[in-house]
Amino acid sequence: MRVAIIAMTSGLERCPMNFYDVIVIGAGPAGATLGYELGCRGLTVLIIEKEKLPRYKPCAGGITRRAASLLNFNISSIIEGTAYGARITYQLSDECTKRQKEPLLYTVMRSKFDHFLVQKAQEAGAIVSDGVRANHIQITDSAVEVMTSVGPFTAKIVAGADGAKGMVAKNVGLTADVEYGLAIEQEVYVAANKLTDWDSLVWLDIGHIPGGYGWVFPKNDHLSVGVGGPIHYSKRLKPYLERLLHTLGDYQVASSTGHLMPVRKRGMAIQRGNALLLGDAAGLVHPLTGEGIYYAIRSAQLAAPVIASTLQNTTIDLRDYEQAVDAQLMPSIESGRVLSDLFTRSPRFYFNLMKGDDRIWSYACDALLGGGPIYA
Ligand SMILES: Cc1cc2nc3c(=O)[nH]c(=O)nc-3n(C[C@H](O)[C@H](O)[C@H](O)COP(=O)(O)OP(=O)(O)OC[C@H]3O[C@@H](n4cnc5c(N)ncnc54)[C@H](O)[C@@H]3O)c2cc1C
């Protein structure tokens, strides 16, 4: 095992070597966390990111308290807002508001949140090369060669943290046995007095698209407004988003984009030889809520000790990582699928249940979002 020479700034010209213990493709929450965890363990890590950092990422930016609780550093400096509850509507009309004493979730801009995690990885010793695209991967028994837009790099292990439909899975022969959801989102500016209307609430709208929902998550100076649902309803998403936006009155669109949300089926291989997949690349997204940041971070934390351990042996074996994901993350994804099916069949019934009984809402929040740190 080598001692990593810390490169605190991005750029390949600063890399001290071209052979690493691990090359991570993608600098989202999964890749950055893996870089951090492996750096802390003294491994040499190169994180390759195709975008220049910080990069925009379409996301409601909801960090549940269970996700925040995974990080062993404080993220309060990059929190945009704290939601203490939700305004819930059924088909944009019938509504109820649920509040609680403790935060429901924090909101962040992903550009800042992901960059913050990348900086933590750099501080731990990972080398980060942004603006560099991984194009192809060649695997042999003892090494992995990653061909990029600036030349080849070699490592003992490659980690695909390159999101939904990432290139690593395809290149190493891991077929994505996933169900896809699709979400589209716009960052919109509204008048200042409209921003304060939100009063520490997020807005969730249900019942419009089977198995989907719409949201408005307030940020510091604007709103993230989006809708998502199963991919076969993709044609209904745009008109639904327009209806949701219409309810906000005057607004100015800052950006508009969509992205796939993959959900793994048990049995889908997420490691093979000296390659493994994390986060969205492994299909680790909650089927009902669409939460993926928790799973991205946690999958990296499950992978790190397995990688550190197998690098001490002559043969690389990453099967323990897949088993850990199956044991620790799949139960909540699978129960999420059952809940999602129930909710898809009778959204009105579940809306009425929540509307009429605060305990149901509290129970759902505890079960789905979990406890975690409370930032002042
Ligand atoms: C509209 C929308 C709203 C969402 N809202 C929430 C939410 O509120 N809360 C929540 O928990 N989850 C949310 N999610 C899900 C969440 O965004 C993802 O689950 C999460 O980003 C997964 O993290 P990741 O690190 O696995 O992948 P990503 O964050 O997608 O990062 C992958 C990275 O890999 C890079 N990359 C890809 N290919 C290459 C290549 N060839 N070479 C180099 N780099 C490459 C990409 O540029 C990217 O930076 C939302 C998703 C969508 C689409």
Side-chain angles (χ1 to χ4, degrees), residues 1-131:
M1 213 177 289
R2 276 155 225 255
V3 176
I5 298 169
I6 301 176
M8 292 300 292
T9 55
S10 311
L12 287 179
E13 69 285 1
R14 295 199 178 236
C15 295
M17 62 191 92
N18 277 348
F19 189 81
Y20 298 85
D21 287 321
V22 182
I23 293 179
V24 183
I25 316 290
T33 304
L34 187 63
Y36 172 80
E37 293 288 337
L38 297 178
C40 288
R41 287 170 170 79
L43 302 182
T44 56
V45 191
L46 172 66
I47 303 176
I48 295 175
E49 168 57 53
K50 67 180 164 66
E51 307 292 337
K52 273 280 174 201
L53 299 175
R55 59 102 177 84
Y56 175 74
K57 162 90 190 164
C59 184
I63 307 291
T64 59
R65 280 177 45 214
R66 70 172 182 159
S69 75
L70 295 175
L71 303 169
N72 60 11
F73 36 80
N74 186 313
I75 57 164
S76 54
S77 63
I78 46 135
I79 287 175
E80 300 260 319
T82 303
Y84 284 86
R87 174 185 173 218
I88 310 168
T89 52
Y90 184 80
Q91 296 187 347
L92 300 174
S93 55
D94 195 1
E95 77 172 79
C96 63
T97 298
K98 299 286 169 187
R99 282 181 196 278
Q100 57 201 51
K101 281 197 191 114
E102 296 189 336
L104 177 67
L105 50 78
Y106 303 105
T107 60
V108 297
M109 284 308 289
R110 286 290 302 278
S111 48
K112 287 188 200 158
F113 178 75
D114 291 14
H115 196 222
F116 185 80
L117 297 186
V118 166
Q119 286 167 331
K120 291 289 172 193
Q122 287 178 305
E123 285 166 20
I127 294 171
V128 179
S129 291
D130 59 347

Side-chain angles (χ1 to χ4, degrees), residues 260-264 279-293 295-296 332-334 337:
L260 290 168
M261 302 175 95
V263 181
R264 177 181 183 240
D280 274 17
L284 301 175
V285 173
H286 194 277
L288 178 66
T289 61
E291 180 184 19
I293 295 168
Y295 296 97
S332 72
I333 289 178
E334 282 163 344
R337 192 172 270 124

Side-chain angles (χ1 to χ4, degrees), residues 130-143:
D130 59 347
V132 173
R133 177 185 283 275
N135 291 325
H136 186 70
I137 293 169
Q138 183 84 43
I139 297 211
T140 66
D141 283 346
S142 57

